[in-house]
């Protein structure tokens, strides 16, 4: 991971895309909080995000994806809005690595936006690894919601092998000390991706 204060080029990109002048810390709002933003603030935010998604270059995105969680989260959203499927594998790698916090939703937004069987495979790879680790409070709930979203959209059974009786999802819910086995969070995360997907579609309309 490279830090912005150590790299003048990266610092310029952070100021341009991650925390642009006149916009209150964009990176913090690229999450569920975006859904609670009032209009006309929401309209201005979406318009600026759309414009930057159309302007940022592939090299600039790649640079941001080497940075902290702030840069990575922002880059993943810009990838989503601009439908840059060439970053699919890179986002899958970053998700699976689990190097930094606060990025899982953003990676999953991009993969659900692409919405292909390959994206489902990348999400499933994460679940195959981390649902076997109830000691780790990572992005298991986020990724399970994203995989169910894609599976429903494609009419596939990718999510079913995790969700069935005795599957890894129920085992993880039961064994993870930070979860309550009788309260499945999956419906709320599925709803979250439906709503965030609508935001991405709205952003992408004019690109």
């Amino acid at each position: 991971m490279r830090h912005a204060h150590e790299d003048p080029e990266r610092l310029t990109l952070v100021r341009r895309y991650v925390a642009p002048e006149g916009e209150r810390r964009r990176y913090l709002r690229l999450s569920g909080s975006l859904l609670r933003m009032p209009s006309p603030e929401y309209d201005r935010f979406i318009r600026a995000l759309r414009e930057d998604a159309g302007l940022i270059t592939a090299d600039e995105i790649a640079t941001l994806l080497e940075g902290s969680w702030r840069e990575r989260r922002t880059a993943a959203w810009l990838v989503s809005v601009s439908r840059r499927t060439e970053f699919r594998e890179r986002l899958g790698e970053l998700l699976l690595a689990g190097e930094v916090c606060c990025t899982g939703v953003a990676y999953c937004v991009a993969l659900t936006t692409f919405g292909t069987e390959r994206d489902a495979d990348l999400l499933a790879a994460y679940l195959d690894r981390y649902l076997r680790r109830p000691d780790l409070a990572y992005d298991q709930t986020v990724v399970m919601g994203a995989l169910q979203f894609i599976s429903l959209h494609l009419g596939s059974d990718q999510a079913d092998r995790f969700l069935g009786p005795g599957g890894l999802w129920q085992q993880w819910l039961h064994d993870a000390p930070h979860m309550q086995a009788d309260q499945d969070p999956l419906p709320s995360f599925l709803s979250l991706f439906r709503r965030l997907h609508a935001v991405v579609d709205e952003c992408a309309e004019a690109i």
Side-chain angles (χ1 to χ4, degrees):
M1 183 189 306
R2 296 164 60 190
H3 297 283
H5 67 274
E6 300 170 348
D7 186 335
E9 176 190 2
R10 188 181 307 277
L11 184 57
T12 298
L13 292 179
V14 167
R15 289 172 175 167
R16 174 67 183 85
Y17 296 109
V18 181
E21 185 177 354
E23 194 174 306
R24 188 178 59 188
R25 291 185 294 185
R26 171 185 281 172
Y27 62 88
L28 284 180
R29 304 163 98 181
L30 293 172
S31 63
S33 63
L34 179 60
L35 301 172
R36 300 186 294 273
M37 191 181 301
S39 184
E41 183 183 10
Y42 172 84
D43 298 327
R44 290 194 298 268
F45 185 90
I46 291 299
R47 183 167 54 251
L49 186 65
R50 176 192 301 140
E51 291 173 354
D52 282 347
L55 291 172
I56 193 168
T57 68
D59 286 344
E60 290 171 336
I61 289 173
T63 297
L64 290 178
L65 287 175
E66 294 175 358
S68 73
W69 69 267
R70 299 168 182 82
E71 290 104 283
R72 295 185 188 194
R73 175 191 279 187
T74 306
W77 268 87
L78 294 171
V79 165
S80 301
V81 174
S82 56
R83 301 293 203 270
R84 310 232 187 161
T85 56
E86 66 267 32
F87 286 99
R88 171 185 286 117
E89 300 299 325
R90 178 60 175 148
L91 293 178
E93 291 171 0
L94 291 172
L95 178 65
L96 188 62
E99 293 177 334
V100 297
C101 67
C102 307
T103 56
V105 171
Y107 297 153
C108 288
V109 166
L111 295 176
T112 55
T113 296
F114 302 154
T116 69
E117 287 288 354
R118 178 54 185 160
D119 301 294
D121 289 342
L122 293 171
L123 296 171
Y126 180 95
L127 295 171
D128 274 321
R129 174 179 294 185
Y130 290 107
L131 287 181
R132 303 176 195 276
R133 295 294 307 273
D135 57 313
L136 298 178
Y138 279 11
D139 288 308
Q140 290 94 333
T141 53
V142 171
V143 178
M144 191 71 250
L147 180 59
Q148 189 178 37
F149 179 90
I150 289 183
S151 295
L152 290 172
H153 178 72
L154 293 175
S156 73
D157 59 356
Q158 276 272 37
D160 292 347
R161 67 184 179 91
F162 297 104
L163 297 174
L168 285 176
W169 176 246
Q170 291 300 325
Q171 292 178 35
W172 181 80
L173 283 179
H174 181 270
D175 296 338
H178 61 287
M179 300 300 296
Q180 295 181 345
D182 60 340
Q183 296 183 4
D184 193 335
L186 186 55
S188 64
F189 280 97
L190 177 59
S191 174
L192 174 66
F193 280 106
R194 283 172 173 155
R195 297 168 70 193
L196 292 176
H197 196 269
V199 172
V200 172
D201 284 345
E202 181 182 352
C203 281
E205 285 177 357
I207 292 182

